[in-house]
Amino acid sequence: MKLSTSGLGQQGHEGEKKCLNSELWHACAGPLVSLPTLGSRVVYFPQGHSEQVSATTNKEVDSQIPNYPNLPPQLICQLHNVTMHADVETDEVYAQMTLQPLTPQEQKDTFVPMDLGIPSKQPTNYFCKTLTASDTSTHGGFSVPRRAAEKVFPSLDFSQQPPAQELIARDLHDVEWKFRHIFRGRDRVILFLISSF
């Protein structure tokens, strides 16, 4: 079976950005998450998918999960499209995949992978900070460990007093945030939110 080029690539839903920052998406997903390459063969488990949909749509526990008696427990499929998403309310990341079941004959055909593996898109220089109530208090700043700041942020100009710079970051939903990065002692730096766009 040949991989169709129609429908490949990133496609967004109405009111949604067409492409998330892949590196940021992978950072949020974590180092154990990897996405299959387009054109690869994957196994789809319909029953597990039905159970997941039922659980995530907050259906009653007693409600009936759809039953398809003629559907095999797993289907060998070819991956045609992967779209990375982030939930607007929770920032939880997930991927939507377009799969095409292979016929029994196509499953017997010799399959040469298009790519034997792609390097991880997990960024190497990043840190995670879960903001707490004290981080968002009236002073508007939060501490970042100095080692993380030195690894991720551009170098501060220590000839200034206090050493400071402006940083602009984009979140998963492409909202731009402007911070003031200030050095405050030996072990920590402070980020102050200036504005969001």
Side-chain angles (χ1 to χ4, degrees), residues 122-197:
Q122 181 74 24
T124 54
N125 290 326
Y126 73 99
F127 74 96
C128 295
K129 170 80 170 154
T130 302
L131 298 181
T132 63
S134 63
D135 292 325
T136 57
S137 65
T138 54
H139 67 75
F142 58 92
S143 296
V144 175
R146 183 176 179 187
R147 284 187 183 171
E150 288 173 346
K151 190 167 99 174
V152 176
F153 302 148
S155 298
L156 282 169
D157 179 4
F158 282 92
S159 64
Q160 295 179 20
Q161 284 305 318
Q165 66 183 330
E166 215 171 80
L167 299 173
I168 297 175
R170 290 188 183 277
D171 67 15
L172 277 169
H173 309 289
D174 208 30
V175 175
E176 196 172 86
W177 299 82
K178 194 180 287 188
F179 294 93
R180 185 137 175 87
H181 172 208
I182 300 173
F183 178 73
R184 290 282 172 96
R186 254 183 39 195
D187 297 325
R188 65 189 185 123
V189 295
I190 305 287
L191 290 180
F192 290 100
L193 177 62
I194 298 171
S195 62
S196 67
F197 302 94

Side-chain angles (χ1 to χ4, degrees), residues 23 25-35 120-123 126 128:
E23 195 171 275
W25 187 94
H26 279 86
C28 293
L32 300 179
V33 173
S34 62
L35 297 174
S120 170
K121 293 185 181 178
Q122 181 74 24
Y126 73 99
C128 295

